[in-house]
Amino acid sequence: MIKEVIVVEGRDDITAVKKAVDAEMIAVGGFGINERVIDRIREAQRRQGVIVLTDPDYAGQKIRNLISRKVPGIKHAYISRDEGTKDGDIGVENAAPEAIIKALNSAKCEVKEKREEFTLQDLIFFRLTGNNNAKDRRDKLGKILRIGYCNTSQFVIRLNNYGITKEEFIEAIKQMERENSNG
């Protein structure tokens, strides 16, 4: 599994990268990148490191430059225009898995063991799934831990991939409970 979180432009890019490697990813939504996404990228950089892999075109470079200005120390992976072009369309989603792997290797990505500190049982125990307010609880906890909102299975994956410790998790649960009782 790739240690760093890979930042791409959209969902099709995530699909292409997943065909090549096992990694946590963040899609910025093209030019729709907002402060909430930047905060997730900052947190990913702090915890695991970030590799930006955007399309080899003007828009991709603008997005890459914006992220670079707002999140220092990130790594960059590049595919060539030839590797990312299919039927006149340019993008990471068109690159072959081999081209993506080559780009990530050139960015000096690190490999780590897949971590399974958290399980579905943890989410059930802490009422983050399987009850009426689980969605709201995951949303609040995702904000506290700065990993964003997602469904149950993705939440377990993010807890593990972002290197969240049990201690951080418990402290965030306590903070959420305090906020809920005060609000």
Side-chain angles (χ1 to χ4, degrees), residues 84-97:
T85 302
K86 181 178 178 182
D87 300 327
D89 180 46
I90 298 172
V92 170
E93 72 273 12
N94 299 318

Side-chain angles (χ1 to χ4, degrees), residues 47-180:
R47 291 182 174 278
Q48 299 293 318
V50 165
I51 298 175
V52 175
L53 176 63
T54 54
D55 296 348
D57 60 10
Y58 178 77
Q61 190 59 46
K62 294 266 302 184
I63 292 166
R64 184 183 294 276
N65 291 344
L66 172 71
I67 295 168
S68 291
R69 278 195 317 274
K70 295 191 175 251
V71 186
I74 59 177
K75 296 178 182 178
H76 294 275
Y78 299 90
I79 59 167
S80 70
R81 286 180 79 82
D82 288 343
E83 292 169 326
T85 302
K86 181 178 178 182
D87 300 327
D89 180 46
I90 298 172
V92 170
E93 72 273 12
N94 299 318
E98 299 78 25
I100 292 169
I101 291 168
K102 187 173 99 181
L104 292 170
N105 284 336
S106 294
K108 308 288 189 258
C109 69
E110 296 178 41
V111 177
K112 67 176 184 176
E113 287 291 317
K114 194 167 183 95
R115 183 173 175 264
E116 295 189 17
E117 176 104 1
F118 294 92
T119 66
L120 180 60
Q121 295 304 103
D122 294 311
L123 270 63
I124 292 168
F125 182 81
F126 288 101
R127 301 185 327 275
L128 297 166
T129 191
N131 70 51
N132 292 339
N133 65 347
K135 182 178 177 181
D136 289 337
R137 288 175 62 81
R138 279 194 316 277
D139 184 37
K140 289 175 184 171
L141 193 62
K143 286 176 184 167
I144 292 168
L145 292 170
R146 303 174 64 103
I147 62 172
Y149 171 77
C150 50
N151 67 28
T152 300
S153 59
Q154 188 62 40
F155 204 82
V156 171
I157 291 168
R158 284 188 190 169
L159 288 169
N160 287 316
N161 289 350
Y162 277 74
I164 306 284
T165 65
K166 289 280 188 178
E167 294 77 19
E168 285 177 282
F169 180 79
I170 297 297
E171 189 52 45
I173 291 282
K174 288 177 183 175
Q175 179 181 338
M176 180 178 65
E177 299 294 346
R178 284 192 303 270
E179 289 172 5
N180 285 345

